[in-house]
Amino acid sequence: MYDVEKIRGDFPILHREVNGKPLIYLDNGASAQKPQVVIDAITNAYAHEYANVHRGLHYLSNVATEKYESVRGVIARFLNAASEDEIVLNSGTTEGINMVAYGWAMPRMQAGDEIILSVMEHHANIVPWHFLRERQGVVLKWVDVDSTGALDPQAVIDAITPKTKLIAVTHLSNVLGTRVDVKTICTEAHARGVPVLIDGSQAAVHQPVDLRDIDPDFYAITGHKLYGPSGSGAIYCKPERMAEMQPFIGGGDMIKEVSKDGVIYNDPPMKFEAGTPGIVQTIGLGVALEYMMGLGMQNIAAHEDTLRDYTVERLAGLNWLQVQGTTPDKSAIFSFTMDGAGHAHDISTILDKKGVAVRAGQHCVGPLMEHMGIPASCRASFGLYNTKAEVDVLVEALELAHDLFA
Ligand code: PLP
């Protein structure tokens, strides 16, 4: 049984107050809080097991290397990848997508080649592709979401032309909560010879991810949203794509030999991991993923879907609130605007006074905001430790905000 009160006991920060009120943390879409096991793993690594990895011939370096390297296998298991050799460790999704843009896409794309994006991508899955547009004349083709925020996989496939070189889409929108049928997109795109990059930053947090079933070419995750440390993350790369990719950052660790005349690179995935990595961050991420798998991704998803249903029901009673993203099978992420409120920041400031942490602004989705015709919104995004009682406090705080704006 999923015991949310017991789970809350694992997260020390949830017991603090903010502005004299119990903290209601609903900003998980931006970054999640950390369980004690992750905090302990970080402390233990620095206190007892710290040295640089891969280089030393001494005891501590070997211990640190073993712990750090074992995380590759944990991530492979978490995502159901076929092998840990398909996992490139990095600092998060932004680095992962930039690696693909610089190392795989740039050398293979010419002026006029096309990349298909959905309109609800995060800037991390937009700006690296704009680099290719600016520098080499690659064309970005945008696929809209419908009025509920759903993305029709067929619309993505219909956008393919003989010039399409890549589809880059999110698996779950960080603003609308929309889940995307990435399996259909991969199957149909592959049948037409088009590779697919998936931004899994949000999906991997809220639902089981089975890469052997989805079969993407690239799948990016970011540790700090997965209850792990910031500065940790990974990107899955299909072996064929990895073989085609050039290294993006050069330096130590990614080489076997360097001479005045040339370089012999390390084997993948280490070929793509230059310099001293986020050693302790990655170790912390491994512990966070084990923690999530211990709770069970299906159980986390079921709990959050219950919260979603309850929030939909409670917010439906507020006829002065507009929720963006109403497709039924969405995740528990709620973006909203309010009649009479000046800026979304004003709403979040009032909620903050009640101890409720939400995000306000553009949420790094400029094209989506343009598509929806709003300058900004507030976002309440739920995590594995949130409760129905917290939804009630959110609704009370929204009612207060609405009264103040009236
Ligand atoms: N993609 C999505 C959907 C996100 O929500 C985020 C973070 O907000 C990112 C990418 C970027 O992740 P990071 O800043 O950890 O690289």
Side-chain angles (χ1 to χ4, degrees):
M1 189 193 119
Y2 195 86
D3 184 347
V4 71
E5 285 311 322
K6 181 161 175 287
I7 290 166
R8 290 177 69 78
D10 295 336
F11 290 80
I13 204 166
L14 298 181
H15 306 293
R16 66 160 289 169
E17 293 193 340
V18 166
N19 291 323
K21 309 278 184 214
L23 168 66
I24 311 280
Y25 189 75
L26 301 180
D27 195 18
N28 297 283
S31 204
Q33 300 298 348
K34 320 303 169 198
Q36 189 66 49
V37 279
V38 170
I39 298 166
D40 288 347
I42 294 168
T43 309
N44 181 62
Y46 279 126
H48 305 293
E49 295 179 337
Y50 184 76
N52 209 332
V53 289
H54 299 142
R55 309 178 182 187
L57 289 171
H58 59 84
Y59 177 83
L60 276 183
S61 178
N62 291 337
V63 171
T65 303
E66 217 169 276
K67 284 236 162 153
Y68 172 81
E69 276 301 323
S70 71
V71 177
R72 228 182 271 283
V74 177
I75 295 170
R77 193 155 34 89
F78 180 72
L79 296 174
N80 197 27
S83 159
E84 63 180 56
D85 292 339
E86 299 166 348
I87 305 296
V88 176
L89 299 172
N90 58 28
S91 63
T93 292
T94 301
E95 185 183 337
I97 297 179
N98 274 275
M99 180 193 81
V100 176
Y102 278 92
W104 182 83
M106 269 188 190
R108 327 175 58 73
M109 293 196 195
Q110 326 278 333
D113 284 345
E114 296 169 357
I115 299 177
I116 297 172
L117 304 170
S118 91
V119 77
M120 64 182 163
E121 297 312 310
H122 186 280
H123 293 167
N125 196 24
I126 298 176
V127 181
W129 311 121
H130 269 307
F131 289 168
L132 273 80
R133 184 191 57 74
E134 289 172 353
R135 296 174 196 181
Q136 23 196 121
V138 167
V139 175
L140 307 187
K141 288 184 75 174
W142 298 91
V143 180
D144 282 345
V145 291
D146 70 15
S147 59
T148 69
L151 179 70
D152 178 1
Q154 192 55 45
V156 176
I157 298 308
D158 289 346
I160 294 176
T161 74
K163 296 208 159 232
T164 305
K165 291 289 184 306
L166 180 70
I167 294 171
V169 284
T170 189
H171 195 176
L172 199 165
S173 162
N174 62 311
V175 173
L176 305 174
T178 306
R179 293 180 168 127
V180 176
D181 179 359
V182 288
K183 183 177 174 183
T184 299
I185 293 175
C186 287
T187 308
E188 296 298 322
H190 290 162
R192 293 158 178 79
V194 178
V196 182
L197 175 143
I198 300 171
D199 177 353
S201 304
Q202 297 287 342
V205 183
H206 301 293
Q207 62 200 45
V209 173
D210 183 344
L211 292 189
R212 275 184 261 189
D213 183 48
I214 298 169
D215 191 31
D217 295 84
F218 304 100
Y219 193 97
I221 59 168
T222 198
H224 66 100
K225 296 184 203 287
L226 289 158
Y227 307 94
S230 56
S232 66
I235 185 161
Y236 159 86
C237 305
K238 194 178 264 210
E240 301 93 288
R241 299 290 91 73
M242 235 195 241
E244 293 166 351
M245 193 157 57
Q246 297 178 6
F248 157 47
I249 302 177
D253 245 26
M254 49 82 78
I255 44 83
K256 281 186 180 150
E257 269 179 50
V258 181
S259 69
K260 286 183 184 160
D261 297 326
V263 178
I264 300 174
Y265 296 118
N266 226 326
D267 296 327
M270 284 188 65
K271 181 178 175 183
F272 304 104
E273 299 172 358
T276 300
I279 301 165
V280 176
Q281 291 92 321
T282 301
I283 291 171
L285 173 59
V287 174
L289 298 184
E290 293 285 14
Y291 177 82
M292 292 179 82
M293 288 189 278
L295 295 179
M297 288 308 297
Q298 286 289 5
N299 299 332
I300 292 171
H303 172 71
E304 292 183 3
D305 284 353
T306 308
L307 287 176
R308 172 202 60 201
D309 292 345
Y310 186 63
T311 309
V312 168
E313 189 189 313
R314 292 294 330 258
L315 296 186
L318 311 179
N319 58 13
W320 32 263
L321 197 86
Q322 301 81 39
V323 174
Q324 291 88 35
T326 52
T327 180
D329 179 35
K330 62 179 262 172
S331 168
I333 297 177
F334 293 87
S335 162
F336 54 83
T337 45
M338 188 188 284
D339 285 348
H343 192 279
H345 285 143
D346 300 334
I347 307 174
S348 70
T349 304
I350 296 167
L351 298 192
D352 190 45
K353 294 270 177 287
K354 292 287 169 192
V356 181
V358 296
R359 183 145 188 223
Q362 275 226 337
H363 316 295
C364 294
V365 290
L368 179 64
M369 289 290 163
E370 204 183 313
H371 174 79
M372 296 192 299
I374 53 173
S377 71
C378 264
R379 179 186 66 186
S381 49
F382 292 81
L384 60 82
Y385 37 59
N386 289 120
T387 65
K388 285 186 180 174
E390 291 182 312
V391 178
D392 293 336
V393 179
L394 168 70
V395 170
E396 269 169 41
L398 287 169
E399 281 168 336
L400 172 77
H402 181 246
D403 288 348
L404 288 173
F405 291 125

